[in-house]
Amino acid sequence: GVLAHLEMLEAQAYEAAVKQEEMEQQKEKLARLKARVRELRLQRDELRAKVDLQQKRQLGKEEVVSDPAQPRAQAVLEWKIKSVKAMLEVFYLTGISGKLTKRGVCFCISTAYEGTYLDSYYLDLLAKPEVQIHRHSVPIFIPLEQIAQKYLQTDIRRFLSVLSDHLNAYVGRRYQADQLQEHFSDQIEGTLQRNSLCDLLVFNYNVSSKSKTFPFNVRLLYRDLCRSLPTEVVVSCT
């Protein structure tokens, strides 16, 4: 009966994980589409500005410009600023917010689990001469350096998305471990054991049936660090 109950719980957890993953994929897809829409609108505005400028020159309503490249460079600069602002607005919808600084951008990644707000982590990026991390509050056991080497210089949106997945999965695992320890302390024997990344949880609990007590040992392993649910569960009865 106990094993059947555990199998049922595992099936429910797997179904919930699949649904949550589908929702996250839909949310990420929506954010990408909104970002694409904003980029296209900015390109449209830039083209309109160029057309207006050309028409003014043809009609002779514009004064002679000593340096023709100057208005073009100014338009490109304004377009880049608008692009960054649009990107910040899109990230805000996915729990990532940011603000422009004198030397780059400061991002804030907010984390939550099942609607419960948990922690926020900050990332200060420098824009020149190349994008680089100046300061951050990301825990040392999160593979920030590896993620940065893979995405930071080529796709900053992907970099922030992957980093957010790691942080949300970590705080989700930690939150579940805290809730388990808090609400089921009378059933757990001893202290729940976990490492700093919370990708390995080990605890013991007892199940009583009539006059007998069955001690169980549970080992939860999270091989996918971007998920808040275990990929491997081992339950043994001693």
Side-chain angles (χ1 to χ4, degrees), residues 125-182:
L125 300 182
L126 301 180
K128 296 180 180 180
E130 62 178 11
V131 182
Q132 57 181 316
I133 300 174
H134 178 49
R135 293 174 298 184
H136 67 86
S137 61
V138 177
I140 191 173
F141 41 78
I142 298 295
L144 175 61
E145 184 176 350
Q146 291 87 332
I147 299 173
Q149 289 179 353
K150 192 172 182 179
Y151 300 112
L152 184 58
Q153 301 301 327
T154 58
D155 191 346
I156 190 171
R157 295 182 180 178
R158 183 62 177 165
F159 164 72
L160 291 170
S161 176
V162 173
L163 179 58
S164 177
D165 289 343
H166 275 268
L167 291 171
N168 275 281
Y170 156 65
V171 298
R173 296 192 299 266
R174 187 192 63 189
Y175 177 77
Q176 293 178 84
D178 292 339
Q179 293 294 302
L180 181 63
Q181 184 73 51
E182 179 180 351

Side-chain angles (χ1 to χ4, degrees), residues 196-209:
S196 57
L197 194 53
C198 291
D199 60 341
L200 175 61
L201 304 180
V202 179
F203 60 93
N204 300 315
Y205 71 97
N206 296 323
V207 174
S208 299
S209 177

Side-chain angles (χ1 to χ4, degrees), residues 1-13 203 205 207 216-218 233-236:
V2 174
L3 293 179
H5 182 65
L6 289 173
E7 290 178 357
M8 181 188 68
L9 292 177
E10 184 177 359
Q12 292 177 351
F203 60 93
Y205 71 97
V207 174
F216 285 87
N217 175 265
V218 180
V233 180
V234 179
V235 181
S236 58

Side-chain angles (χ1 to χ4, degrees), residues 80-89 91-92 96-109 121-128 130-137 152 156-157 159-160 163:
K80 288 184 177 181
I81 294 176
K82 289 182 179 180
S83 298
V84 173
K85 290 182 178 179
M87 181 182 66
L88 295 179
E89 292 181 6
F91 279 140
Y92 181 77
I96 303 175
S97 59
K99 62 178 181 179
L100 298 176
T101 63
K102 293 182 179 180
R103 296 188 294 175
V105 184
C106 181
F107 288 100
C108 174
I109 301 178
Y121 299 93
Y122 296 90
L123 197 68
D124 192 3
L125 300 182
L126 301 180
K128 296 180 180 180
E130 62 178 11
V131 182
Q132 57 181 316
I133 300 174
H134 178 49
R135 293 174 298 184
H136 67 86
S137 61
L152 184 58
I156 190 171
R157 295 182 180 178
F159 164 72
L160 291 170
L163 179 58

